[in-house]
Amino acid sequence: MNFQKIFVAGHRGMVGSALIRKLTSSPNPPAQILTRTRDQLDLCNQAAVDDFFATEKPDCVLFAAAKVGGIHANATYPAEFGYQNTAMAMNSIHSAYQHGTERFLFLGSTCIYPRNAPQPIPEDSLLSSPLEQTNEAYALAKIMGLKLCQYYREQYGVMFHSAMPTNLYGPGDNYHSENSHVIPGLIRRFHEAKLGEADSVTVWGSGNPRREFLHVDDLATAVLHLITLADPPHWANVGTGTDLRIADLAAKIASVVGFQGEIIQDTSKPDGTPVKRTNTELINSTGWHPSIDLDEGLKTTYADFIRNSETIRC
């Protein structure tokens, strides 16, 4: 890695903190890692973002900043998800170009793909049919960031590109009781049920939808791999290429947590997309493969939850 000054946008989030861990532990770390909290730099403020890039002039940007949440949060706050994620991406990509950033890697999500995309989902299914309505605002914002990187690269010759990870989990996740994703949400619920000696835990939906999960440290490794490529894809899926039923995931998490009660599926609640698995042939062809098994990853993630349980938001 030959970059001297890398800006990690969103460094306090799960992805950003994983990137910091990998950068600082790499054999050849950058001379300087730039970070800014939201109070220090509002990425939705175009003038502030431009001033930051003009002053600091990072030669590489790893853009992990985002407003994120689960189905409930996306459905409740679509305006915020759409505006904030679009504004942050547009401001940062343009200012990076204006002030000579050599490499910009934009992080999105596989939720950018259509609800009824072919399975496993290939990169070229983007914009081929309607999106999943429950997270449309977030997906559209991430598509705009991806496309803007593509357009700047094609028009100006800058090395701006993107990575689209599948469902993530790991240290630093959001365990909020209403706004979390499935793995942290289930970890918290099974943990609280164990402490309360509950007889059962109810899980939304039939349990039949299939999902793919990637440990955030594997994503960080993929990102650092992609920025070493001389001619990376405009965007690449990052995942394991394997999936499992939500009911089976719940059983795994209950076992890791030590909850021995009954797991009840509430079939009156929505399931979401029936199947969501990424085609990872493109990034695998560049030499990257995941290394963290789901069972082991869940164990270390639960251990991290226990270590930080006193600071977890409600």
Side-chain angles (χ1 to χ4, degrees), residues 59 61 92-98 100-106 146 148-154 157-162 232-235:
D59 52 353
V61 175
S92 300
I93 292 167
H94 183 68
S95 289
Y97 161 69
Q98 289 282 85
T101 296
E102 296 174 19
R103 175 84 65 149
F104 191 113
L105 190 140
F106 178 77
L146 175 158
L148 206 57
C149 284
Q150 178 183 354
Y151 299 149
Y152 274 63
R153 181 175 174 180
E154 291 175 343
V158 290
M159 191 53 70
F160 290 10
H161 54 114
S162 304
H234 280 298
W235 70 95

Side-chain angles (χ1 to χ4, degrees), residues 22-44:
K22 291 296 181 183
L23 284 169
T24 55
S25 64
S26 69
N28 185 26
Q32 187 175 1
I33 299 173
L34 299 173
T35 61
R36 292 292 186 276
T37 65
R38 188 175 303 174
D39 291 338
Q40 293 170 330
L41 176 60
D42 179 2
L43 294 174
C44 291

